[in-house]
Amino acid sequence: MTRMEREEIQKIVEQAIQDGKNTLYEGKVASYIPELAKANSSNLGVCIETKEGEIYASGDYSIPFTVQSISKTFSLILALQTAGYEKVFSKIGMEPTGDRFDSILQLELKDWKPFNPMINAGAIVTASCIDLPKGFEEFLRLVRRLCGNDQIWLNENVYRSEKKTGTRNRSIAYLLKSDGVLEGEPEEVLDLYFRMCSIMVTAKDLAHYAMILSNRGEDPVIGEQLVDRDIVRIVKTLMLLCGMYDQSGEYAVKVGLPSKSGVGGGIVAVAPGGMGIGTFGPMLNQKGNSVGGEQILRTLSEKLNLHLFA
């Protein structure tokens, strides 16, 4: 890539940040978890990483935030690695849902198992499938490896806040246990789930992770296969179908990239050509997605011609 091309991409990134800033007034920071309510509403950042290791970034791309529901992609990888496809998807579906990410209604009225691993019910069951003596330690090791950052850490304050206030997730877990879907003790599974949601990452970390997924699980810099290709295919497909909560269809039309959001303000997006994108902006829309991050990705998708179906 020539210097001129690199400069042009950086200009587009800067434009995307400005477009994102113009939408921040539409959002609110998450308040149902007390620690998340302390977020700086003006924060907004983006990072792109290519398979050649080139970085394009702007704004608050190096500020750590809690991964929240983006952890569901990592836990799905770990569950598939340890429990296998048949076990995981005997307990969790693969279908999108039009309900909220923390819905209990769908468990009672629509099916006996969660629709997909990207909603809370599905992620709790996914956590129960991670059959390892030190589940969280292995999860953290996986995240550090896929993000290329050995300094990723657990935010104890957020973890304790989520554990204390997570009554709805607790209800989901016990309902799943009563229906025979959840294996293990609900409180132990929930403890793992809350911990996984409470690790700290940056938009740069997420860009590296997305770059690995875009390269079918291989780190092209070190030439090592970090995740099996079949697992990557499953995870990216579910990200495209279900990764943006009950806004996934609209997002797929407007942005067209396998993505996963979290109420901490992050979005991880897998772009074509071995490119990964991470965004951070804690101002959320009513669906729980970052308004600034979503707009950044819309601009990048349009200006860099990234939409999978364009």
Side-chain angles (χ1 to χ4, degrees):
M1 187 177 295
T2 67
R3 178 180 177 182
M4 184 176 295
E5 288 173 327
R6 288 193 292 269
E7 289 178 352
E8 183 62 28
I9 292 175
Q10 184 61 36
K11 286 180 181 178
I12 292 172
V13 169
E14 299 289 348
Q15 178 186 339
I17 275 282
Q18 189 56 54
D19 291 347
K21 287 180 178 178
N22 292 337
T23 69
L24 294 185
Y25 73 93
E26 300 174 4
K28 296 180 179 179
V29 299
S31 58
Y32 67 96
I33 299 171
E35 283 296 315
L36 297 188
K38 300 176 182 178
N40 184 339
S41 61
S42 66
N43 283 155
L44 190 65
V46 59
C47 183
I48 296 175
E49 183 170 346
T50 71
K51 62 184 178 182
E52 293 81 18
E54 294 174 338
I55 300 292
Y56 303 91
S58 183
D60 302 313
Y61 66 94
S62 60
I63 291 180
F65 57 91
T66 51
V67 69
Q68 296 300 327
S69 284
I70 299 172
S71 67
K72 295 169 182 174
T73 65
F74 294 104
S75 61
L76 179 58
I77 290 172
L78 189 58
L80 289 170
Q81 287 177 336
T82 58
Y85 176 93
E86 296 298 333
K87 172 69 175 291
V88 172
F89 289 107
S90 70
K91 295 180 172 295
I92 310 167
M94 303 181 188
E95 302 301 328
T97 172
D99 297 321
R100 282 176 48 87
F101 62 88
D102 59 355
S103 173
I104 294 178
L105 181 67
Q106 63 103 351
L107 295 176
E108 281 285 86
L109 299 183
K110 296 182 180 179
D111 201 351
W112 61 274
K113 63 182 181 181
F115 270 33
N116 64 70
M118 301 298 159
I119 56 174
N120 289 15
I124 291 169
V125 176
T126 300
S128 75
C129 292
I130 299 173
D131 188 16
L132 294 168
K134 296 183 178 180
F136 178 71
E137 287 80 358
E138 291 298 325
F139 172 83
L140 185 57
R141 185 176 293 112
L142 176 70
V143 173
R144 287 172 170 172
R145 194 178 188 199
L146 293 180
C147 289
N149 182 359
D150 289 335
Q151 303 304 310
I152 290 173
W153 51 284
L154 171 68
N155 187 318
E156 291 281 351
N157 290 335
V158 174
Y159 157 64
R160 286 192 291 268
S161 181
E162 293 208 28
K163 189 170 184 176
K164 182 178 180 179
T165 61
T167 53
R168 192 170 186 86
N169 285 323
R170 195 160 277 112
S171 300
I172 290 172
Y174 278 96
L175 180 58
L176 290 165
K177 181 69 174 179
S178 70
D179 286 340
V181 181
L182 186 71
E183 297 181 8
E185 293 302 316
E187 291 299 331
E188 293 179 6
V189 174
L190 285 166
D191 187 76
L192 174 59
Y193 174 74
F194 292 139
R195 286 178 185 272
M196 291 191 297
C197 290
S198 302
I199 62 170
M200 302 293 284
V201 297
T202 66
K204 186 176 186 297
D205 295 331
L206 295 181
H208 186 82
Y209 171 45
M211 184 272 292
I212 299 296
L213 294 181
S214 183
N215 285 281
R216 300 179 181 178
E218 180 184 355
D219 186 333
V221 176
I222 62 176
E224 185 177 350
Q225 192 75 33
L226 302 183
V227 184
D228 184 84
R229 286 189 174 198
D230 286 340
I231 291 178
V232 173
R233 173 178 53 81
I234 292 166
V235 172
K236 288 196 298 185
T237 302
L238 288 168
M239 288 170 68
L240 181 64
L241 294 173
C242 318
M244 300 297 286
Y245 304 131
D246 49 329
Q247 193 187 353
S248 296
E250 177 186 349
Y251 178 88
V253 170
K254 293 179 178 179
V255 178
L257 300 176
S259 303
K260 184 71 194 84
S261 62
V263 294
I267 302 176
V268 58
V270 183
M275 180 187 293
I277 307 172
T279 67
F280 167 54
M283 295 291 273
L284 311 179
N285 63 20
Q286 292 183 344
K287 304 293 186 180
N289 297 320
S290 169
V291 292
E294 184 181 338
Q295 181 57 56
I296 287 170
L297 287 159
R298 287 183 64 178
T299 297
L300 293 177
S301 179
E302 177 184 347
K303 299 297 183 181
L304 297 176
N305 194 30
L306 300 179
H307 198 297
L308 292 183
F309 307 110

